[in-house]
Amino acid sequence: MTRFAPDLRSLFDAPVLEQVELLPGFDDHGSSVFRVRTAHEHVVVRAFRAPAVDGPFWGCLHELFGIDPRSAAEAAAIYELLATVSPFAVPRLIRVGEVAGRAWLIVELMDGTPLASFDELSDDGLRRFGRGLASIHARRFTTFGNPSGSVRYEPGEFPARLAVALRAAAVSHPDGPVPARWVDDACAAIGRLPPPHAGSLVLPDIFPPQFLQRDGQVVAIVDVDAYVIGPRELDLVVLEYFVDARSAALIARAYREIAPLPRLGDVRLAYRLFLWVLTMNPLALDEERWMAWPEAFA
């Protein structure tokens, strides 16, 4: 595969001494990300890769929550809002530039190494992660939508919007149409849900490489493009795929020190199928294993 190597020199006042692409370890990632060093700066430069916000993941999140990762203003709003809420460090947005018609964000280079697995975290690191996640969720919003506020709607509208988005994405899934019985069961489950009362900042692809760690502790969250304002249960349904019994117990216990852990029994079926149609499946599970994955949180 030919590496993408944009000419980023126009984003800097000084000559570029080093430009290294930072790959997340999976193919279907949304952003092009580079570490760039000049005589005056050592930063990360990132831009959304695709010309349009479409496809199962970005297209569905765009329709359901209104996020647009092509927009520098929308991206900046995520960084700014998350920095006021997250106990994990968030890169500082230094400035925005344009190269070849794409908006590039120049952000702070954070110290730490990408987290490969939550197993890498110490017991204390897992507890701090649980408290940190609960702290992010504790900032409540009266509406759902995107962090910038350009798209917002009442939480009570979410179940119906989710059913529509799920049915549309299920038909065009890249691995073939999702079984109709699954979609019907999930939409029936959605129809029985009580409307959410409030939104939280949630990350539909909240898995290990989005975080940096040092000495068994999460020290930063760096891949924030997909943050939306939605149901906090979604974060925990995603996390079930990436934690073992030890990690889940420590995260859950610490989460409860900040806020009650939401119950997932009523939403798990619908949210798992929603994640499946989003192709949020770095474990490369088949449909049956995905839906039957062990439950980690109550």
Side-chain angles (χ1 to χ4, degrees), residues 181-182 237 240-241 268-273 276 281 283 285-296:
R181 73 181 191 282
W182 286 10
V237 172
E240 287 192 318
Y241 291 95
R268 185 177 281 110
L269 169 66
Y271 288 3
R272 282 188 171 184
L273 188 57
W276 173 263
N281 184 14
L283 300 177
L285 301 174
D286 62 29
E287 297 164 69
E288 298 291 344
R289 289 186 65 204
W290 178 266
M291 296 302 293
W293 195 254
E295 299 174 3

PDB file of all heavy atoms in Angstrom, residues 181-182 237 240-241 268-273 276 281 283 285-296:
ATOM      1  N   ARG A 181     -34.334 -10.234  10.796  1.00  0.00           N
ATOM      2  CA  ARG A 181     -34.872 -10.529  12.133  1.00  0.00           C
ATOM      3  C   ARG A 181     -34.118  -9.743  13.212  1.00  0.00           C
ATOM      4  O   ARG A 181     -34.712  -9.337  14.221  1.00  0.00           O
ATOM      5  CB  ARG A 181     -34.815 -12.035  12.418  1.00  0.00           C
ATOM      6  CG  ARG A 181     -33.435 -12.586  12.678  1.00  0.00           C
ATOM      7  CD  ARG A 181     -33.448 -14.092  12.938  1.00  0.00           C
ATOM      8  NE  ARG A 181     -32.170 -14.574  13.425  1.00  0.00           N
ATOM      9  CZ  ARG A 181     -31.101 -14.798  12.676  1.00  0.00           C
ATOM     10  NH1 ARG A 181     -31.171 -14.569  11.361  1.00  0.00           N
ATOM     11  NH2 ARG A 181     -29.976 -15.244  13.207  1.00  0.00           N
ATOM     12  N   TRP A 182     -32.821  -9.538  13.013  1.00  0.00           N
ATOM     13  CA  TRP A 182     -32.040  -8.768  13.985  1.00  0.00           C
ATOM     14  C   TRP A 182     -32.499  -7.312  13.992  1.00  0.00           C
ATOM     15  O   TRP A 182     -32.656  -6.710  15.044  1.00  0.00           O
ATOM     16  CB  TRP A 182     -30.555  -8.837  13.647  1.00  0.00           C
ATOM     17  CG  TRP A 182     -29.920 -10.141  13.971  1.00  0.00           C
ATOM     18  CD1 TRP A 182     -30.542 -11.292  14.350  1.00  0.00           C
ATOM     19  CD2 TRP A 182     -28.525 -10.426  13.951  1.00  0.00           C
ATOM     20  NE1 TRP A 182     -29.626 -12.277  14.556  1.00  0.00           N
ATOM     21  CE2 TRP A 182     -28.375 -11.786  14.323  1.00  0.00           C
ATOM     22  CE3 TRP A 182     -27.397  -9.686  13.644  1.00  0.00           C
ATOM     23  CZ2 TRP A 182     -27.133 -12.401  14.396  1.00  0.00           C
ATOM     24  CZ3 TRP A 182     -26.156 -10.289  13.721  1.00  0.00           C
ATOM     25  CH2 TRP A 182     -26.027 -11.633  14.095  1.00  0.00           C
ATOM     26  N   VAL A 237     -21.547  -0.053  26.364  1.00  0.00           N
ATOM     27  CA  VAL A 237     -21.805  -1.172  25.458  1.00  0.00           C
ATOM     28  C   VAL A 237     -20.599  -1.405  24.556  1.00  0.00           C
ATOM     29  O   VAL A 237     -20.211  -2.552  24.286  1.00  0.00           O
ATOM     30  CB  VAL A 237     -23.085  -0.927  24.635  1.00  0.00           C
ATOM     31  CG1 VAL A 237     -23.244  -1.985  23.549  1.00  0.00           C
ATOM     32  CG2 VAL A 237     -24.312  -0.932  25.553  1.00  0.00           C
ATOM     33  N   GLU A 240     -17.627  -3.122  26.486  1.00  0.00           N
ATOM     34  CA  GLU A 240     -17.756  -4.550  26.800  1.00  0.00           C
ATOM     35  C   GLU A 240     -16.918  -5.426  25.874  1.00  0.00           C
ATOM     36  O   GLU A 240     -16.501  -6.516  26.262  1.00  0.00           O
ATOM     37  CB  GLU A 240     -19.224  -4.978  26.732  1.00  0.00           C
ATOM     38  CG  GLU A 240     -20.046  -4.476  27.890  1.00  0.00           C
ATOM     39  CD  GLU A 240     -21.420  -5.120  27.974  1.00  0.00           C
ATOM     40  OE1 GLU A 240     -22.066  -5.283  26.909  1.00  0.00           O
ATOM     41  OE2 GLU A 240     -21.855  -5.441  29.083  1.00  0.00           O
ATOM     42  N   TYR A 241     -16.656  -4.963  24.668  1.00  0.00           N
ATOM     43  CA  TYR A 241     -15.872  -5.750  23.715  1.00  0.00           C
ATOM     44  C   TYR A 241     -14.372  -5.690  23.984  1.00  0.00           C
ATOM     45  O   TYR A 241     -13.611  -6.449  23.387  1.00  0.00           O
ATOM     46  CB  TYR A 241     -16.156  -5.280  22.284  1.00  0.00           C
ATOM     47  CG  TYR A 241     -17.553  -5.613  21.824  1.00  0.00           C
ATOM     48  CD1 TYR A 241     -18.586  -4.680  21.926  1.00  0.00           C
ATOM     49  CD2 TYR A 241     -17.854  -6.875  21.322  1.00  0.00           C
ATOM     50  CE1 TYR A 241     -19.871  -4.993  21.524  1.00  0.00           C
ATOM     51  CE2 TYR A 241     -19.136  -7.196  20.921  1.00  0.00           C
ATOM     52  CZ  TYR A 241     -20.145  -6.253  21.027  1.00  0.00           C
ATOM     53  OH  TYR A 241     -21.416  -6.580  20.641  1.00  0.00           O
ATOM     54  N   ARG A 268     -28.867  -3.048  25.397  1.00  0.00           N
ATOM     55  CA  ARG A 268     -27.706  -3.750  24.845  1.00  0.00           C
ATOM     56  C   ARG A 268     -27.977  -4.298  23.441  1.00  0.00           C
ATOM     57  O   ARG A 268     -27.161  -4.147  22.534  1.00  0.00           O
ATOM     58  CB  ARG A 268     -27.268  -4.877  25.787  1.00  0.00           C
ATOM     59  CG  ARG A 268     -26.003  -5.574  25.331  1.00  0.00           C
ATOM     60  CD  ARG A 268     -25.570  -6.631  26.319  1.00  0.00           C
ATOM     61  NE  ARG A 268     -24.885  -6.092  27.480  1.00  0.00           N
ATOM     62  CZ  ARG A 268     -25.401  -6.069  28.716  1.00  0.00           C
ATOM     63  NH1 ARG A 268     -26.610  -6.556  28.939  1.00  0.00           N
ATOM     64  NH2 ARG A 268     -24.699  -5.546  29.713  1.00  0.00           N
ATOM     65  N   LEU A 269     -29.101  -4.953  23.250  1.00  0.00           N
ATOM     66  CA  LEU A 269     -29.417  -5.541  21.935  1.00  0.00           C
ATOM     67  C   LEU A 269     -29.406  -4.472  20.853  1.00  0.00           C
ATOM     68  O   LEU A 269     -28.748  -4.619  19.816  1.00  0.00           O
ATOM     69  CB  LEU A 269     -30.787  -6.224  21.982  1.00  0.00           C
ATOM     70  CG  LEU A 269     -31.369  -6.658  20.627  1.00  0.00           C
ATOM     71  CD1 LEU A 269     -30.520  -7.760  20.007  1.00  0.00           C
ATOM     72  CD2 LEU A 269     -32.820  -7.122  20.783  1.00  0.00           C
ATOM     73  N   ALA A 270     -30.132  -3.377  21.089  1.00  0.00           N
ATOM     74  CA  ALA A 270     -30.245  -2.334  20.072  1.00  0.00           C
ATOM     75  C   ALA A 270     -28.904  -1.660  19.825  1.00  0.00           C
ATOM     76  O   ALA A 270     -28.518  -1.417  18.674  1.00  0.00           O
ATOM     77  CB  ALA A 270     -31.286  -1.306  20.494  1.00  0.00           C
ATOM     78  N   TYR A 271     -28.168  -1.355  20.895  1.00  0.00           N
ATOM     79  CA  TYR A 271     -26.908  -0.647  20.723  1.00  0.00           C
ATOM     80  C   TYR A 271     -25.843  -1.538  20.106  1.00  0.00           C
ATOM     81  O   TYR A 271     -25.009  -1.067  19.315  1.00  0.00           O
ATOM     82  CB  TYR A 271     -26.424  -0.084  22.057  1.00  0.00           C
ATOM     83  CG  TYR A 271     -27.238   1.102  22.557  1.00  0.00           C
ATOM     84  CD1 TYR A 271     -28.356   1.554  21.852  1.00  0.00           C
ATOM     85  CD2 TYR A 271     -26.901   1.756  23.727  1.00  0.00           C
ATOM     86  CE1 TYR A 271     -29.103   2.618  22.307  1.00  0.00           C
ATOM     87  CE2 TYR A 271     -27.639   2.841  24.189  1.00  0.00           C
ATOM     88  CZ  TYR A 271     -28.745   3.260  23.472  1.00  0.00           C
ATOM     89  OH  TYR A 271     -29.488   4.330  23.925  1.00  0.00           O
ATOM     90  N   ARG A 272     -25.850  -2.829  20.418  1.00  0.00           N
ATOM     91  CA  ARG A 272     -24.886  -3.729  19.774  1.00  0.00           C
ATOM     92  C   ARG A 272     -25.148  -3.816  18.274  1.00  0.00           C
ATOM     93  O   ARG A 272     -24.209  -3.814  17.465  1.00  0.00           O
ATOM     94  CB  ARG A 272     -24.928  -5.121  20.412  1.00  0.00           C
ATOM     95  CG  ARG A 272     -24.206  -5.194  21.734  1.00  0.00           C
ATOM     96  CD  ARG A 272     -24.083  -6.615  22.246  1.00  0.00           C
ATOM     97  NE  ARG A 272     -23.202  -6.666  23.421  1.00  0.00           N
ATOM     98  CZ  ARG A 272     -22.834  -7.776  24.044  1.00  0.00           C
ATOM     99  NH1 ARG A 272     -23.288  -8.939  23.609  1.00  0.00           N
ATOM    100  NH2 ARG A 272     -22.031  -7.734  25.085  1.00  0.00           N
ATOM    101  N   LEU A 273     -26.389  -3.901  17.897  1.00  0.00           N
ATOM    102  CA  LEU A 273     -26.670  -3.971  16.461  1.00  0.00           C
ATOM    103  C   LEU A 273     -26.346  -2.642  15.789  1.00  0.00           C
ATOM    104  O   LEU A 273     -25.825  -2.610  14.672  1.00  0.00           O
ATOM    105  CB  LEU A 273     -28.132  -4.341  16.215  1.00  0.00           C
ATOM    106  CG  LEU A 273     -28.477  -4.624  14.753  1.00  0.00           C
ATOM    107  CD1 LEU A 273     -27.593  -5.733  14.184  1.00  0.00           C
ATOM    108  CD2 LEU A 273     -29.934  -4.989  14.579  1.00  0.00           C
ATOM    109  N   TRP A 276     -22.765  -2.675  15.207  1.00  0.00           N
ATOM    110  CA  TRP A 276     -22.437  -3.596  14.114  1.00  0.00           C
ATOM    111  C   TRP A 276     -22.636  -2.917  12.763  1.00  0.00           C
ATOM    112  O   TRP A 276     -21.784  -3.005  11.882  1.00  0.00           O
ATOM    113  CB  TRP A 276     -23.283  -4.859  14.198  1.00  0.00           C
ATOM    114  CG  TRP A 276     -23.103  -5.766  13.022  1.00  0.00           C
ATOM    115  CD1 TRP A 276     -23.887  -5.851  11.908  1.00  0.00           C
ATOM    116  CD2 TRP A 276     -22.037  -6.690  12.817  1.00  0.00           C
ATOM    117  NE1 TRP A 276     -23.386  -6.761  11.029  1.00  0.00           N
ATOM    118  CE2 TRP A 276     -22.243  -7.305  11.561  1.00  0.00           C
ATOM    119  CE3 TRP A 276     -20.922  -7.060  13.569  1.00  0.00           C
ATOM    120  CZ2 TRP A 276     -21.388  -8.278  11.040  1.00  0.00           C
ATOM    121  CZ3 TRP A 276     -20.071  -8.034  13.066  1.00  0.00           C
ATOM    122  CH2 TRP A 276     -20.308  -8.618  11.813  1.00  0.00           C
ATOM    123  N   ASN A 281     -15.967  -2.678  14.488  1.00  0.00           N
ATOM    124  CA  ASN A 281     -15.656  -4.074  14.780  1.00  0.00           C
ATOM    125  C   ASN A 281     -14.180  -4.378  14.563  1.00  0.00           C
ATOM    126  O   ASN A 281     -13.824  -5.202  13.717  1.00  0.00           O
ATOM    127  CB  ASN A 281     -16.534  -4.973  13.888  1.00  0.00           C
ATOM    128  CG  ASN A 281     -16.371  -6.448  14.177  1.00  0.00           C
ATOM    129  OD1 ASN A 281     -15.815  -6.843  15.195  1.00  0.00           O
ATOM    130  ND2 ASN A 281     -16.853  -7.279  13.268  1.00  0.00           N
ATOM    131  N   LEU A 283     -12.279  -6.129  16.227  1.00  0.00           N
ATOM    132  CA  LEU A 283     -11.959  -7.509  16.579  1.00  0.00           C
ATOM    133  C   LEU A 283     -12.276  -8.472  15.440  1.00  0.00           C
ATOM    134  O   LEU A 283     -11.963  -9.660  15.536  1.00  0.00           O
ATOM    135  CB  LEU A 283     -12.747  -7.930  17.830  1.00  0.00           C
ATOM    136  CG  LEU A 283     -12.484  -7.107  19.096  1.00  0.00           C
ATOM    137  CD1 LEU A 283     -13.381  -7.602  20.233  1.00  0.00           C
ATOM    138  CD2 LEU A 283     -11.025  -7.192  19.508  1.00  0.00           C
ATOM    139  N   LEU A 285     -15.084  -9.778  14.444  1.00  0.00           N
ATOM    140  CA  LEU A 285     -16.006 -10.836  14.824  1.00  0.00           C
ATOM    141  C   LEU A 285     -17.061 -11.020  13.744  1.00  0.00           C
ATOM    142  O   LEU A 285     -17.396 -10.080  13.028  1.00  0.00           O
ATOM    143  CB  LEU A 285     -16.695 -10.470  16.140  1.00  0.00           C
ATOM    144  CG  LEU A 285     -15.790 -10.221  17.351  1.00  0.00           C
ATOM    145  CD1 LEU A 285     -16.631  -9.725  18.525  1.00  0.00           C
ATOM    146  CD2 LEU A 285     -15.030 -11.474  17.736  1.00  0.00           C
ATOM    147  N   ASP A 286     -17.607 -12.234  13.640  1.00  0.00           N
ATOM    148  CA  ASP A 286     -18.749 -12.410  12.755  1.00  0.00           C
ATOM    149  C   ASP A 286     -20.014 -11.968  13.503  1.00  0.00           C
ATOM    150  O   ASP A 286     -19.987 -11.655  14.700  1.00  0.00           O
ATOM    151  CB  ASP A 286     -18.852 -13.846  12.248  1.00  0.00           C
ATOM    152  CG  ASP A 286     -19.052 -14.859  13.365  1.00  0.00           C
ATOM    153  OD1 ASP A 286     -19.641 -14.517  14.420  1.00  0.00           O
ATOM    154  OD2 ASP A 286     -18.606 -16.014  13.204  1.00  0.00           O
ATOM    155  N   GLU A 287     -21.129 -11.927  12.777  1.00  0.00           N
ATOM    156  CA  GLU A 287     -22.353 -11.370  13.353  1.00  0.00           C
ATOM    157  C   GLU A 287     -22.805 -12.124  14.600  1.00  0.00           C
ATOM    158  O   GLU A 287     -23.201 -11.515  15.605  1.00  0.00           O
ATOM    159  CB  GLU A 287     -23.463 -11.401  12.294  1.00  0.00           C
ATOM    160  CG  GLU A 287     -23.175 -10.547  11.072  1.00  0.00           C
ATOM    161  CD  GLU A 287     -24.088 -10.900   9.918  1.00  0.00           C
ATOM    162  OE1 GLU A 287     -25.294 -10.604  10.030  1.00  0.00           O
ATOM    163  OE2 GLU A 287     -23.615 -11.457   8.926  1.00  0.00           O
ATOM    164  N   GLU A 288     -22.751 -13.454  14.551  1.00  0.00           N
ATOM    165  CA  GLU A 288     -23.232 -14.242  15.670  1.00  0.00           C
ATOM    166  C   GLU A 288     -22.381 -14.012  16.915  1.00  0.00           C
ATOM    167  O   GLU A 288     -22.911 -13.840  18.021  1.00  0.00           O
ATOM    168  CB  GLU A 288     -23.229 -15.742  15.299  1.00  0.00           C
ATOM    169  CG  GLU A 288     -24.150 -16.101  14.139  1.00  0.00           C
ATOM    170  CD  GLU A 288     -25.619 -15.978  14.501  1.00  0.00           C
ATOM    171  OE1 GLU A 288     -25.940 -15.916  15.715  1.00  0.00           O
ATOM    172  OE2 GLU A 288     -26.462 -15.950  13.585  1.00  0.00           O
ATOM    173  N   ARG A 289     -21.068 -13.993  16.760  1.00  0.00           N
ATOM    174  CA  ARG A 289     -20.188 -13.778  17.911  1.00  0.00           C
ATOM    175  C   ARG A 289     -20.332 -12.355  18.437  1.00  0.00           C
ATOM    176  O   ARG A 289     -20.249 -12.115  19.643  1.00  0.00           O
ATOM    177  CB  ARG A 289     -18.728 -14.056  17.535  1.00  0.00           C
ATOM    178  CG  ARG A 289     -18.390 -15.514  17.312  1.00  0.00           C
ATOM    179  CD  ARG A 289     -16.902 -15.681  17.086  1.00  0.00           C
ATOM    180  NE  ARG A 289     -16.129 -15.333  18.272  1.00  0.00           N
ATOM    181  CZ  ARG A 289     -14.858 -14.940  18.247  1.00  0.00           C
ATOM    182  NH1 ARG A 289     -14.217 -14.808  17.084  1.00  0.00           N
ATOM    183  NH2 ARG A 289     -14.217 -14.654  19.364  1.00  0.00           N
ATOM    184  N   TRP A 290     -20.539 -11.414  17.525  1.00  0.00           N
ATOM    185  CA  TRP A 290     -20.704 -10.023  17.948  1.00  0.00           C
ATOM    186  C   TRP A 290     -21.921  -9.873  18.858  1.00  0.00           C
ATOM    187  O   TRP A 290     -21.833  -9.290  19.949  1.00  0.00           O
ATOM    188  CB  TRP A 290     -20.850  -9.126  16.723  1.00  0.00           C
ATOM    189  CG  TRP A 290     -21.061  -7.678  17.050  1.00  0.00           C
ATOM    190  CD1 TRP A 290     -22.261  -7.025  17.163  1.00  0.00           C
ATOM    191  CD2 TRP A 290     -20.052  -6.698  17.324  1.00  0.00           C
ATOM    192  NE1 TRP A 290     -22.061  -5.701  17.477  1.00  0.00           N
ATOM    193  CE2 TRP A 290     -20.709  -5.475  17.583  1.00  0.00           C
ATOM    194  CE3 TRP A 290     -18.665  -6.733  17.358  1.00  0.00           C
ATOM    195  CZ2 TRP A 290     -20.031  -4.294  17.882  1.00  0.00           C
ATOM    196  CZ3 TRP A 290     -17.973  -5.556  17.656  1.00  0.00           C
ATOM    197  CH2 TRP A 290     -18.663  -4.368  17.915  1.00  0.00           C
ATOM    198  N   MET A 291     -23.032 -10.400  18.438  1.00  0.00           N
ATOM    199  CA  MET A 291     -24.258 -10.234  19.206  1.00  0.00           C
ATOM    200  C   MET A 291     -24.256 -11.067  20.484  1.00  0.00           C
ATOM    201  O   MET A 291     -24.927 -10.721  21.455  1.00  0.00           O
ATOM    202  CB  MET A 291     -25.466 -10.581  18.339  1.00  0.00           C
ATOM    203  CG  MET A 291     -25.649  -9.657  17.139  1.00  0.00           C
ATOM    204  SD  MET A 291     -25.824  -7.900  17.576  1.00  0.00           S
ATOM    205  CE  MET A 291     -27.396  -7.905  18.428  1.00  0.00           C
ATOM    206  N   ALA A 292     -23.495 -12.170  20.502  1.00  0.00           N
ATOM    207  CA  ALA A 292     -23.464 -13.057  21.668  1.00  0.00           C
ATOM    208  C   ALA A 292     -22.265 -12.790  22.579  1.00  0.00           C
ATOM    209  O   ALA A 292     -21.976 -13.600  23.459  1.00  0.00           O
ATOM    210  CB  ALA A 292     -23.455 -14.515  21.203  1.00  0.00           C
ATOM    211  N   TRP A 293     -21.572 -11.690  22.384  1.00  0.00           N
ATOM    212  CA  TRP A 293     -20.370 -11.391  23.169  1.00  0.00           C
ATOM    213  C   TRP A 293     -20.709 -11.335  24.656  1.00  0.00           C
ATOM    214  O   TRP A 293     -21.787 -10.856  25.032  1.00  0.00           O
ATOM    215  CB  TRP A 293     -19.783 -10.065  22.699  1.00  0.00           C
ATOM    216  CG  TRP A 293     -18.375  -9.826  23.156  1.00  0.00           C
ATOM    217  CD1 TRP A 293     -17.967  -8.968  24.140  1.00  0.00           C
ATOM    218  CD2 TRP A 293     -17.185 -10.430  22.637  1.00  0.00           C
ATOM    219  NE1 TRP A 293     -16.598  -9.012  24.279  1.00  0.00           N
ATOM    220  CE2 TRP A 293     -16.075  -9.914  23.359  1.00  0.00           C
ATOM    221  CE3 TRP A 293     -16.962 -11.370  21.633  1.00  0.00           C
ATOM    222  CZ2 TRP A 293     -14.787 -10.292  23.111  1.00  0.00           C
ATOM    223  CZ3 TRP A 293     -15.652 -11.759  21.386  1.00  0.00           C
ATOM    224  CH2 TRP A 293     -14.576 -11.219  22.111  1.00  0.00           C
ATOM    225  N   PRO A 294     -19.815 -11.799  25.528  1.00  0.00           N
ATOM    226  CA  PRO A 294     -20.111 -11.781  26.965  1.00  0.00           C
ATOM    227  C   PRO A 294     -20.427 -10.379  27.479  1.00  0.00           C
ATOM    228  O   PRO A 294     -19.846  -9.394  27.048  1.00  0.00           O
ATOM    229  CB  PRO A 294     -18.814 -12.317  27.587  1.00  0.00           C
ATOM    230  CG  PRO A 294     -18.195 -13.142  26.511  1.00  0.00           C
ATOM    231  CD  PRO A 294     -18.541 -12.460  25.223  1.00  0.00           C
ATOM    232  N   GLU A 295     -21.351 -10.322  28.430  1.00  0.00           N
ATOM    233  CA  GLU A 295     -21.736  -9.064  29.038  1.00  0.00           C
ATOM    234  C   GLU A 295     -20.764  -8.743  30.174  1.00  0.00           C
ATOM    235  O   GLU A 295     -20.541  -9.559  31.065  1.00  0.00           O
ATOM    236  CB  GLU A 295     -23.159  -9.150  29.573  1.00  0.00           C
ATOM    237  CG  GLU A 295     -24.184  -9.433  28.478  1.00  0.00           C
ATOM    238  CD  GLU A 295     -25.591  -9.676  29.024  1.00  0.00           C
ATOM    239  OE1 GLU A 295     -25.754  -9.552  30.261  1.00  0.00           O
ATOM    240  OE2 GLU A 295     -26.489  -9.986  28.225  1.00  0.00           O
ATOM    241  N   ALA A 296     -20.194  -7.549  30.143  1.00  0.00           N
ATOM    242  CA  ALA A 296     -19.210  -7.162  31.148  1.00  0.00           C
ATOM    243  C   ALA A 296     -19.787  -6.251  32.226  1.00  0.00           C
ATOM    244  O   ALA A 296     -19.308  -6.242  33.355  1.00  0.00           O
ATOM    245  CB  ALA A 296     -18.023  -6.462  30.471  1.00  0.00           C
TER     246      ALA A 296
END
